[in-house]
Amino acid sequence: MTIYPVMAGVGVMAGFLSGLFGIGGGIIVTPLLVLLYPMLSGQKLPIEVITGLSSVQGFFSSLVSFALHRVRFQPDWRVIRQFALPMALANFLASLQAGRFSEQFILLVFAVLGLLSLIVTYAFRRPVSVLVERPSLSLPLTGLLLGALCGLVGQGGGFIYLPVLISLFGLQIKQAISTSALIGIIGASGALLGRLGSMDTFLGYSVELVLGIVLGGYLGAALSLRLQSAHLKQALNVFILLCSMELMARVLF
């Protein structure tokens, strides 16, 4: 059995940042695999391996998050039915077709999603009335759109659907966070199931990545208790912005 210590190291870094910032980590793992892993190992990972590992990480992180927060689990079942299930379906179907798209296109989609998460967070100070007034239509359509985009890049999509549900649909922050764990499991399941046929390409790296994420997550969470949440949020947004711009620059130039 081949051991990948560099992958474990990347997992520790991804887990540390995830625990530090208090997020699932999909927005962190992919940039590290694309930008950092080749520098440390001298090996560039194929895009199908990167998206596969991202889907594994998303599913695992969502399960852990749900286990930790199940005592306070008070989901909005309307959002689960009308948003999460369509998102999972689109995520699954997009995952099946991801191999038809080029690496440049998939990285561009990821960069755009990262930038959109920041735009939605800062540009929309109040819910969008047209979305709120017709949730039976707007929630499924939004879920389908985000699921299709996240499925291409192997993401559960927490970094984008949380800002969308809170800023655009007006979901209360506490309920959105409580609901997000189950949405993450449902969405990440679609991404992972869609990649079962190519699992042999990334399964060998998965154990090291997940173990590293667990270790790093505990370290990051312990440090986050000592830091101010406002500063952590600013640092996270800077990280997302820089990674998205770097990936976009690689694709376009």
Side-chain angles (χ1 to χ4, degrees), residues 156-169:
F159 68 93
I160 180 66
Y161 67 67
L162 263 180
V164 165
L165 291 175
I166 293 170
S167 298
L168 300 188
F169 285 90

Side-chain angles (χ1 to χ4, degrees), residues 30 33-34 45-55 103 153 202:
T30 298
L33 292 175
V34 173
L45 295 172
I47 193 64
E48 59 269 19
V49 173
I50 293 173
T51 56
L53 288 172
S54 182
S55 65
E103 176 178 349
V153 297
F202 61 85

Side-chain angles (χ1 to χ4, degrees), residues 1-9 37 43 203-206 208-209:
M1 182 179 67
T2 305
I3 298 176
Y4 302 95
V6 176
M7 184 61 71
Y37 185 84
Q43 173 194 11
L203 189 60
Y205 299 96
S206 300
E208 286 87 347
L209 181 67

Side-chain angles (χ1 to χ4, degrees), residues 5-246:
V6 176
M7 184 61 71
V10 170
V12 170
M13 285 181 273
F16 178 81
L17 293 174
S18 299
L20 184 65
F21 296 135
I23 63 174
I27 190 64
I28 292 174
V29 167
T30 298
L32 290 182
L33 292 175
V34 173
L35 303 174
L36 186 61
Y37 185 84
M39 295 172 55
L40 297 177
S41 67
Q43 173 194 11
K44 179 182 177 182
L45 295 172
I47 193 64
E48 59 269 19
V49 173
I50 293 173
T51 56
L53 288 172
S54 182
S55 65
V56 169
Q57 178 275 331
F59 181 74
F60 178 80
S61 296
S62 297
L63 281 178
V64 172
S65 177
F66 181 76
L68 293 175
H69 295 92
R70 66 185 185 278
V71 175
R72 294 173 290 177
F73 184 56
Q74 297 177 337
D76 186 328
W77 290 106
R78 179 198 58 167
V79 173
I80 298 296
R81 292 190 304 269
Q82 297 181 356
F83 178 83
L85 294 179
M87 182 178 178
L89 175 61
N91 205 323
F92 170 70
L93 296 176
S95 297
L96 292 176
Q97 302 299 320
R100 298 175 178 268
F101 296 91
S102 67
E103 176 178 349
Q104 289 76 13
F105 179 78
I106 291 177
L107 292 180
L108 181 61
V109 169
F110 181 85
V112 169
L113 284 172
L115 293 176
L116 281 177
S117 71
L118 297 179
I119 292 172
V120 169
T121 299
Y122 289 104
F124 293 87
R125 297 300 180 181
R126 60 183 61 183
V128 179
S129 58
V130 69
L131 298 177
V132 175
E133 291 169 0
R134 296 189 175 182
S136 60
L137 179 62
S138 58
L139 279 171
L141 289 178
T142 304
L144 288 171
L145 175 61
L146 293 183
L149 295 175
C150 292
L152 291 177
V153 297
Q155 296 285 325
F159 68 93
I160 180 66
Y161 67 67
L162 263 180
V164 165
L165 291 175
I166 293 170
S167 298
L168 300 188
F169 285 90
L171 205 66
Q172 295 298 312
I173 294 178
K174 288 185 178 179
Q175 193 167 32
I177 293 175
S178 179
T179 304
S180 68
L182 186 54
I183 296 178
I185 293 174
I186 296 171
S189 296
L192 187 58
L193 288 174
R195 285 173 166 77
L196 288 180
S198 59
M199 185 170 285
D200 59 317
T201 63
F202 61 85
L203 189 60
Y205 299 96
S206 300
V207 174
E208 286 87 347
L209 181 67
V210 169
L211 289 177
I213 287 173
V214 171
L215 174 59
Y218 278 108
L219 297 175
L223 179 60
S224 70
L225 298 176
R226 303 173 180 271
L227 302 176
Q228 295 184 13
S229 58
H231 295 161
L232 291 176
K233 183 177 180 181
Q234 292 172 358
L236 171 63
N237 290 334
V238 170
F239 177 85
I240 294 174
L241 178 62
L242 292 177
C243 289
S244 297
M245 292 179 64
E246 171 66 19

